[in-house]
């Protein structure tokens, strides 16, 4: 997030309910103390008497929580489950009150239990967490007895200094402490960032690994984020940092752990893949044509040394339990637990006390739904209630009305109804000559973090969109930019949706009204965009003409694999994307005339 964006965000976050602000001392960017190199010791295994040769270690894991303390609303809060008759059922899941109960129940009867996460615990968070710079989520993770997590790309949204504060504690340098008499303690689990170094010193930003120990059992955890983090985070968030190859980094530290006598190793990798089915209970090792898993994690897994016994992954928000062969050709477990705390993975690692290694052939793993029909964890209910009271004056303020769900994150379509609303809001807000004179607007699909849900989330009533709900859709508070791009650059940007770094996994920009084109998915690469079909207000794009194009500062910096958008000139900085969104809702809806889901007819898709 840029300095301007952060400043804008701060000024709008004045919390009348938050008593007394305390100034914060110098932020210590030191590593977490070695005190973390131990197990929480769940269960009652005291290790007395004769020890059997092997012991089963329970590894519980999850990923991509993104500060979703409350159950995610709408389709984003569902898990797909394939039924015995082949039909697919949507099951409501998630929320830390239920995640805590699930993990605590799973640990019962397992004296050797360790809990790990695959990154993106915070960032792009709903208002309840995001308003307070994700302090509530770190507090919740401490209560969950999380032992270790890798950093994800979103841990860098507010920069390395803020990440260090989440690790080490201390009140926010600008907003101070949120609760009178309480200082933020930071994470009591280590954040691991083995492949992130400081450019000036070439030293790791955070610990590269940690060792969990109990009764002589030792398991090393190495944590990395995806090497491409700088491509998907604002430049300010990764300033002064270098991100290294995941495989080379993990192999380097696996050798180091091995030399130290730690033979059992788990890699926590914030990068993932896509299984052939979105059902959480899909057998990822099915042998049929087209079955299995694809995506970056496959090549990564194939390159990681056999010294590593299991891979906990994330980033793609998918659910899978697969085996991928290691470099020696032996199958190795690779898991991911969807997102938003809707699933957790339970993996059994059989530890051989004689070799100090995991018996790889005995590794078993399964994903489990965090259902909402189990008892809520009382300490989490209390935590949510406490922070909700602080957030209420801002969160509950109505912004507009909708007549039905307007799907964004929960939509699987390339052109999303909520994407159209957001792009239209940006165009309308920046079209006036004194606001930038925008003719077209682009929105990156990954920046749409939720759906607008018609059902009331609190006491506001059905159809009312609150500030908290709008914030959950657009939590980054990116500043809007309007730039000059030539028609040729505009066409190149559309082609970059399906070529270059986006070819294997297309990122389809959400576009404002008036722009239309055809996407032919039967072709490959840039040819998927039918160039002579691209029209603005019915007229073909003129390659030589200059167009005024609106987009958030992330896209305007060439983020998400759109270098053409980073070539804009004559930049004007506007209000934030969230302000534009809320202004549009206010202007286009009322209690008697709510906003309806828009048609999705701007992109014609040929499959």
């Amino acid at each position: 997030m840029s300095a301007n964006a952060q400043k804008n965000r701060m000024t709008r976050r004045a919390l009348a309910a938050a008593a007394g602000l305390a100034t914060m001392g110098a932020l210590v960017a030191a590593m977490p103390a070695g005190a973390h190199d131990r197990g929480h010791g769940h269960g009652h295994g005291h290790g007395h008497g004769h020890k059997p040769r092997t012991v089963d270690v329970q590894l519980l894991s999850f990923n991509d929580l993104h500060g979703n303390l409350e159950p995610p609303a709408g389709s984003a809060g569902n898990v797909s489950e394939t039924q015995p008759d082949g039909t697919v059922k949507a099951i409501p899941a998630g929320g830390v009150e239920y995640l805590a109960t699930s993990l605590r129940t799973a640990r019962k009867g397992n004296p050797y239990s360790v809990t790990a996460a695959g990154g993106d615990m915070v960032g792009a968070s709903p208002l309840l967490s995001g308003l307070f710079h994700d302090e509530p989520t770190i507090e919740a993770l401490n209560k969950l007895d999380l032992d270790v997590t890798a950093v994800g790309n979103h841990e860098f949204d507010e920069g390395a200094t803020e990440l260090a504060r989440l690790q080490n504690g201390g009140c926010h340098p600008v907003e101070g402490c949120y609760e009178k008499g309480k200082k933020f303690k930071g994470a009591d689990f280590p954040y691991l960032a083995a492949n992130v170094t400081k450019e000036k010193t070439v030293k790791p930003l955070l610990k590269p690994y940690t060792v969990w120990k109990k009764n002589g059992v030792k398991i090393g955890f190495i944590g990395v984020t995806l090497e491409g983090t700088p491509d998907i985070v604002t430049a300010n968030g990764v300033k002064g940092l270098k991100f290294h190859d995941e495989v080379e980094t993990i192999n380097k530290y696996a050798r180091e752990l091995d030399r130290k006598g730690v033979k059992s190793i788990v890699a926590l990798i914030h990068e993932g893949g896509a299984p052939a089915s979105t059902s959480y209970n899909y057998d990822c090792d099915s042998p049929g044509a087209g079955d299995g898993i694809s995506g970056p994690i496959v090549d990564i897994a194939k390159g990681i040394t056999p010294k590593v016994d299991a891979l906990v992954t994330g980033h793609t928000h998918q659910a899978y339990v697969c085996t991928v062969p290691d470099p020696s050709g032996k199958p190795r477990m690779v898991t991911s637990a969807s997102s938003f705390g809707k699933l957790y993975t339970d993996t059994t690692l059989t530890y051989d006390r004689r070799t100090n290694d995991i018996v790889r052939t005995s590794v078993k793993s399964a994903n489990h739904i965090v259902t909402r029909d189990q008892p809520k964890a009382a300490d989490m209910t209390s935590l949510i209630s406490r922070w909700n009271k602080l957030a209420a004056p801002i969160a509950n303020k109505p912004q507009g009305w909708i007549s039905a769900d307007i799907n964004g994150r929960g939509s699987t379509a390339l052109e999303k109804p909520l994407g159209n609303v957001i792009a239209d809001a940006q165009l309308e807000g920046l079209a006036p000559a004194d606001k930038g004179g925008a003719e077209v607007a682009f929105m990156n699909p990954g920046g749409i973090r939720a759906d607008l849900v018609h059902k009331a989330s609190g006491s506001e009533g059905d159809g009312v969109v609150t500030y908290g709900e709008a914030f959950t859709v657009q939590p980054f508070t990116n500043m809007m930019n309007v730039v000059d791009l030539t028609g040729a650059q505009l066409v190149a940007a559309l082609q970059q949706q399906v070529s270059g770094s986006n070819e294997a996994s297309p990122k389809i920009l959400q576009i404002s009204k008036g722009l239309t084109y055809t996407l032919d998915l039967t072709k490959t690469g840039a040819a998927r965009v039918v160039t002579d079909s691209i029209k603005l207000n019915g007229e073909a794009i003129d390659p030589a003409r200059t167009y005024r194009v609106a987009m958030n500062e992330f896209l305007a910096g060439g983020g998400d694999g759109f270098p053409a958008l980073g070539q804009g000139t004559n930049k004007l900085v506007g209000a934030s994307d969230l302000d534009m969104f809320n202004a549009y809702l206010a202007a286009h809806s009322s209690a008697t005339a709510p906003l309806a889901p828009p048609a999705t007819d701007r992109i014609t898709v040929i499959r």
Side-chain angles (χ1 to χ4, degrees):
M1 183 182 294
S2 71
N4 284 339
Q6 197 151 341
K7 184 178 178 184
N8 175 278
R9 189 166 169 179
M10 305 307 176
T11 55
R12 287 185 300 92
R13 281 188 174 173
L15 279 175
L21 296 179
T23 53
M24 173 185 167
L27 200 153
V28 183
M31 304 308 184
H36 288 299
D37 289 349
R38 43 90 177 122
H40 278 301
H42 307 301
H44 307 284
H46 300 292
H48 299 309
H50 175 70
K51 292 179 180 176
R53 174 165 173 175
T54 63
V55 57
D56 282 346
V57 177
Q58 178 189 55
L59 170 61
L60 300 176
S61 57
F62 57 97
N63 52 277
D64 296 276
L65 181 64
H66 290 287
N68 279 265
L69 301 179
E70 296 176 297
S75 57
N78 291 335
V79 169
S80 295
E81 180 183 64
T82 299
Q83 305 301 300
D85 64 0
T87 59
V88 177
K89 182 180 178 183
I91 300 175
V96 292
E97 293 162 298
Y98 304 111
L99 179 60
T101 299
S102 289
L103 294 177
R104 290 163 184 170
T105 302
R107 288 174 188 143
K108 288 175 183 173
N110 289 283
Y112 294 85
S113 184
V114 57
T115 304
D120 276 6
M121 295 295 97
V122 301
S125 306
L127 188 91
L128 177 61
S129 186
L131 187 64
F132 306 103
H133 294 277
D134 285 310
E135 290 181 21
T137 296
I138 298 298
E139 183 185 339
L141 292 171
N142 288 343
K143 289 179 183 292
L144 278 179
D145 278 341
L146 181 64
D147 288 294
V148 58
T149 183
V151 293
N153 53 289
H154 281 284
E155 264 82 14
F156 294 93
D157 282 346
E158 295 191 41
T161 305
E162 175 63 6
L163 173 56
R165 187 181 77 88
L166 291 181
Q167 176 71 87
N168 299 301
C171 297
H172 193 272
V174 176
E175 296 180 28
C177 298
Y178 294 112
E179 296 180 286
K180 191 173 182 178
K182 282 189 182 179
K183 181 182 174 184
F184 175 56
K185 294 178 180 176
D188 66 11
F189 50 89
Y191 260 114
L192 304 182
N195 65 331
V196 186
T197 57
K198 300 173 187 175
E199 282 181 346
K200 285 184 180 176
T201 63
V202 201
K203 290 182 178 176
L205 175 69
L206 295 167
K207 288 181 69 167
Y209 61 79
T210 190
V211 181
W212 178 88
K213 300 173 183 175
K214 185 173 182 192
N215 296 344
V217 174
K218 294 186 293 185
I219 299 178
F221 288 88
I222 304 168
V224 299
T225 187
L226 69 156
E227 185 183 5
T229 290
D231 299 327
I232 54 175
V233 172
T234 55
N236 211 50
V238 293
K239 192 176 179 181
L241 303 176
K242 190 165 177 58
F243 292 75
H244 304 271
D245 180 84
E246 305 95 337
V247 174
E248 290 174 12
T249 303
I250 292 168
N251 289 351
K252 169 187 169 183
Y253 286 111
R255 288 192 297 272
E256 188 172 313
L257 283 167
D258 189 58
R259 285 196 301 272
K260 289 183 173 183
V262 179
K263 307 294 184 183
S264 298
I265 303 172
V266 174
L268 309 175
I269 309 172
H270 191 70
E271 179 60 291
S277 166
T278 55
S279 290
Y280 92 96
N281 56 339
Y282 164 66
D283 180 1
C284 208
D285 288 335
S286 298
D291 275 335
I293 187 172
S294 59
I297 198 61
V298 177
D299 286 339
I300 290 172
K302 287 178 178 176
I304 290 174
T305 172
K307 293 180 192 297
V308 174
D309 299 294
L311 279 55
V312 172
T313 72
H315 187 55
T316 57
H317 292 204
Q318 301 296 308
Y320 48 83
V321 173
C322 298
T323 57
V324 177
D326 68 15
S328 70
K330 293 177 182 173
R332 177 169 52 195
M333 195 65 75
V334 179
T335 68
S336 174
S338 184
S339 64
F340 302 167
K342 293 182 289 188
L343 296 177
Y344 72 92
T345 312
D346 190 338
T347 303
T348 301
L349 302 172
T350 301
Y351 184 91
D352 187 328
R353 291 184 183 275
R354 197 171 298 171
T355 63
N356 296 325
D357 206 350
I358 300 299
V359 183
R360 283 257 300 270
T361 52
S362 299
V363 175
K364 298 183 187 70
S365 190
N367 275 327
H368 301 278
I369 301 179
V370 177
T371 59
R372 298 183 198 165
D373 58 1
Q374 59 185 319
K376 295 178 179 180
D379 57 339
M380 294 300 177
T381 303
S382 173
L383 180 152
I384 289 169
S385 174
R386 210 178 80 237
W387 288 102
N388 263 332
K389 280 179 187 169
L390 281 179
I394 293 173
N396 297 338
K397 189 177 178 184
Q399 303 298 309
W401 290 260
I402 56 175
S403 64
D405 288 0
I406 304 180
N407 287 336
R409 190 75 183 186
S411 168
T412 57
L414 299 180
E415 181 186 345
K416 305 173 191 305
L418 191 49
N420 287 357
V421 172
I422 291 169
D424 287 352
Q426 295 174 355
L427 176 62
E428 183 171 295
L430 298 168
D434 63 335
K435 301 292 186 187
E439 300 168 82
V440 64
F442 290 135
M443 175 64 194
N444 54 310
I448 306 168
R449 304 305 300 187
D451 303 332
L452 278 186
V453 179
H454 185 263
K455 183 177 171 59
S457 59
S459 59
E460 77 276 11
D462 290 350
V464 178
V465 179
T466 64
Y467 184 88
E469 290 165 340
F471 182 99
T472 300
V473 169
Q474 295 225 270
F476 298 108
T477 320
N478 275 312
M479 303 311 290
M480 290 303 301
N481 290 183
V482 186
V483 299
D484 283 349
L485 288 174
T486 65
Q489 289 169 325
L490 198 151
V491 171
L494 292 176
Q495 291 172 328
Q496 285 162 2
Q497 301 176 108
V498 288
S499 62
S501 62
N502 292 330
E503 180 160 5
S505 183
K507 287 191 176 79
I508 305 304
L509 294 165
Q510 305 299 288
I511 56 178
S512 56
K513 62 184 176 184
L515 183 63
T516 56
Y517 71 95
T518 297
L519 195 61
D520 187 348
L521 297 181
T522 65
K523 297 193 166 78
T524 57
R528 289 167 169 169
V529 174
V530 182
T531 51
D532 60 7
S533 73
I534 305 171
K535 292 180 180 176
L536 182 59
N537 300 321
E539 293 184 9
I541 295 293
D542 180 351
R545 196 199 131 186
T546 296
Y547 295 84
R548 293 291 283 164
V549 184
M551 66 194 95
N552 60 45
E553 61 188 337
F554 171 61
L555 278 179
D560 260 356
F562 290 99
L565 297 181
Q567 294 166 359
T569 57
N570 192 20
K571 179 169 75 173
L572 183 143
V573 178
S576 75
D577 52 7
L578 180 60
D579 286 346
M580 295 268 168
F581 186 46
N582 284 331
Y584 186 85
L585 289 171
H588 291 271
S589 69
S590 67
T592 53
L595 181 70
T600 49
D601 54 4
R602 301 170 190 181
I603 306 172
T604 301
V605 181
I606 300 171
R607 297 182 187 273

